[in-house]
Amino acid sequence: EVQLVESGGGLVQPGGSLRLSCAVSGFTFSDYSMNWVRQAPGKGLEWVSYISRSSSVTYYADSVKGRFTISRDNGKNSLYLQMNSLRDEDTAVYYCAVDTILEPWGQGTLVTVSS
Amino acid sequence: EVVLTQSPDFQSVTPKDKVTITCRASQSIGSTLHWYQQKPDQSPKLLIKYASQSISGVPSRFSGSGSGTDFTLTINSLEAEDAAVYYCHQSSSFPRTFGQGTKVEIK
């Protein structure tokens, strides 16, 4: 069974940092590109970042460029998102999603940025 | 950046109705358009990939069409369990983008 489990969310003050993780199982992680997508409370979906299978290519949304860093460890079947200089507007549920077609998705982890 | 505009934003429908949701891209994206369903408190789920390709396990009442800039998601004979928000998404170029979503409510 394919599973993606995000973790690392929580409450953080503006300007703070968090590192999200996405642990995957049930498929060959190294064969697929990965993405982070977020959803602010009551809002729509926003793509955040992409990483290729070998980590050689990464892309970011303009809203997070220079503050967030995506990475992966194929040996540990894990995807990461290092989030620095967090802002109120980064408050959202963060999902990891597989491949170009974004399927499947994890259950999400909530990040709340507030003082 | 490719802007995706969905219409309508909201639709209230009766079971067995036919539902049509459109997604218009600000520039041609070929067939690199995918549709997702998100029910309350759930993660999004892929319904249709590459504009018209069906997904294993998704009911056959869901279908997609279109290419270039204009795309359509059709739900034939809507069921109560189809109440959800539907999103389109393009994988033609970075940054990836989503439509704003269409909420389908059951009367």
Side-chain angles (χ1 to χ4, degrees), chain A residues 1-110:
Chain A
E1 179 191 5
V2 173
Q3 276 199 315
L4 295 88
V5 180
E6 299 95 337
S7 61
L11 175 63
V12 61
Q13 292 188 337
S17 298
L18 276 178
R19 189 194 195 206
L20 305 184
S21 298
C22 171
V24 311
S25 60
F27 65 99
T28 305
F29 180 64
S30 58
D31 284 350
Y32 294 90
S33 61
M34 295 292 296
N35 299 266
W36 287 99
V37 178
R38 69 184 180 183
Q39 187 169 36
K43 302 297 185 182
L45 301 170
E46 180 188 15
W47 172 83
V48 172
S49 186
Y50 161 97
I51 188 167
S52 63
R53 291 173 294 176
S54 65
S55 303
S56 59
V57 177
T58 59
Y59 291 100
Y60 298 91
D62 285 346
S63 57
V64 307
K65 200 173 295 182
R67 301 187 297 123
F68 290 11
T69 302
I70 191 171
S71 62
R72 64 190 294 163
D73 185 332
N74 288 342
K76 294 183 177 180
N77 289 343
S78 292
L79 174 72
Y80 306 101
L81 187 68
Q82 178 66 44
M83 305 187 297
N84 298 330
S85 303
L86 283 161
R87 305 168 180 168
D88 290 352
E89 56 265 34
D90 296 318
T91 294
V93 174
Y94 285 73
Y95 298 98
C96 55
V98 182
D99 201 18
T100 298
I101 59 172
L102 301 182
E103 180 69 9
W105 299 57
Q107 86 290 346
T109 187
L110 176 63

Side-chain angles (χ1 to χ4, degrees), chain B residues 12-19 77-79 105-107:
Chain B
S12 183
V13 294
T14 303
K16 299 187 179 180
D17 277 354
K18 177 179 178 179
V19 173
S77 193
L78 185 89
E79 298 191 6
E105 174 192 89
I106 309 299
K107 286 180 182 174

Side-chain angles (χ1 to χ4, degrees), chain A residues 35 37 39 43-47 50 59-62 95 100-108, chain B residues 1 34 36 38 41-46 49-50 55 87 89 91 94-100:
Chain A
N35 299 266
V37 178
Q39 187 169 36
K43 302 297 185 182
L45 301 170
E46 180 188 15
W47 172 83
Y50 161 97
Y59 291 100
Y60 298 91
D62 285 346
Y95 298 98
T100 298
I101 59 172
L102 301 182
E103 180 69 9
W105 299 57
Q107 86 290 346
Chain B
E1 172 176 321
H34 320 289
Y36 303 83
Q38 187 178 31
D41 298 319
Q42 293 187 17
S43 305
K45 170 188 169 184
L46 180 67
K49 65 179 181 180
Y50 295 107
I55 301 298
Y87 295 94
H89 164 69
S91 62
F94 290 97
R96 304 292 202 224
T97 48
F98 288 90
Q100 79 276 17

